[in-house]
Amino acid sequence: MNKFNRFILIFISIIGLLSMTIFASMAYPVPYLSNFASHLWQNGLWFSYTVVVVSIILGLFFLILLLTAIFVPTSDKFLTIKTGMGDIDISKKTIESTARQSFSDLTDAKNPEVHAKLKRKAKTATITVKATVVDAEKLPTLGKEIQQRVEESIQRALEVPVKSVNVKISEAHATNGTAKSSHSPRVV
């Protein structure tokens, strides 16, 4: 859930809880609050305004809940493949582990992170690989090599169709003894 939806839900929930507390105090005697609610809201225009505002807030709240339930994609943890003998459930962790092992012998790829996004209806997987490399000259060839290895290993070993393999490689800055640290004192 993004920050805007979270803020709207919190805001609407707080206003709704306050309004419901005021309405409950009119039916059940609460010291100070019942007198305030009955004199101010019940006898004046504030009551009708409060009912309209609470109705709008509840409508917005339920609309946001409905849209969130419809449009927020669910993250599948298993991918089910139907075979002649039955169903095979392959876990997300298995797919990620297989992808990571496919390029583990490449010494240029450091700190690999693999994330799989499974689509149960389409029965496909989208793989995202993040790694760092010390030698910038190897970036294009290393990226293509990782893509090919990941796709081939997952399709061969697990028979899971791979929709795409996204590789994000960043350059790691080598730190050797001659490099100056930004925190070292300046000598003039």
Side-chain angles (χ1 to χ4, degrees):
M1 182 181 305
N2 62 22
K3 290 181 181 180
F4 178 73
N5 283 352
R6 186 171 302 199
F7 171 75
I8 292 294
L9 286 175
I10 290 171
F11 178 72
I12 289 173
S13 299
I14 289 171
I15 291 178
L17 287 172
L18 289 174
S19 301
M20 298 315 290
T21 303
I22 291 172
F23 285 148
S25 71
M26 286 188 236
Y28 183 78
V30 176
Y32 302 111
L33 188 58
S34 294
N35 293 335
F36 173 72
S38 65
H39 290 299
L40 186 62
W41 267 287
Q42 237 172 352
N43 298 333
L45 289 174
W46 287 102
F47 183 74
S48 58
Y49 291 146
T50 305
V51 170
V52 169
V53 168
V54 168
S55 299
I56 290 171
I57 288 171
L58 288 175
L60 286 173
F61 177 72
F62 289 121
L63 180 66
I64 290 171
L65 284 179
L66 177 66
L67 293 176
T68 302
I70 291 172
F71 292 114
V72 172
T74 59
S75 175
D76 292 327
K77 295 187 180 181
F78 289 96
L79 191 64
T80 303
I81 298 175
K82 297 187 185 280
T83 64
M85 296 174 55
D87 294 343
I88 299 174
D89 289 335
I90 301 173
S91 73
K92 180 179 177 180
K93 288 184 179 185
T94 301
I95 294 172
E96 291 173 348
S97 174
T98 304
R100 190 176 300 106
Q101 288 174 358
S102 69
F103 64 91
S104 64
D105 62 329
L106 295 175
T107 58
D108 296 328
K110 308 288 184 193
N111 304 321
E113 293 180 28
V114 179
H115 301 284
K117 185 175 182 184
L118 308 179
K119 296 193 178 181
R120 185 174 285 192
K121 290 182 181 178
K123 294 184 173 88
T124 60
T126 301
I127 311 296
T128 302
V129 178
K130 295 180 183 177
T132 56
V133 64
V134 177
D135 188 7
E137 293 177 5
K138 297 181 180 180
L139 285 174
T141 56
L142 182 65
K144 289 177 186 176
E145 180 74 20
I146 290 173
Q147 279 181 325
Q148 289 174 349
R149 286 186 179 203
V150 167
E151 184 175 8
E152 289 173 3
S153 69
I154 290 175
Q155 288 179 350
R156 184 185 58 233
L158 303 175
E159 296 183 8
V160 173
V162 177
K163 182 177 179 182
S164 66
V165 178
N166 304 317
V167 179
K168 299 176 182 178
I169 299 177
S170 60
E171 183 180 3
H173 299 289
T175 56
N176 53 21
T178 61
K180 291 184 180 179
S181 172
S182 62
H183 300 292
S184 60
R186 186 175 150 193
V187 178
V188 181

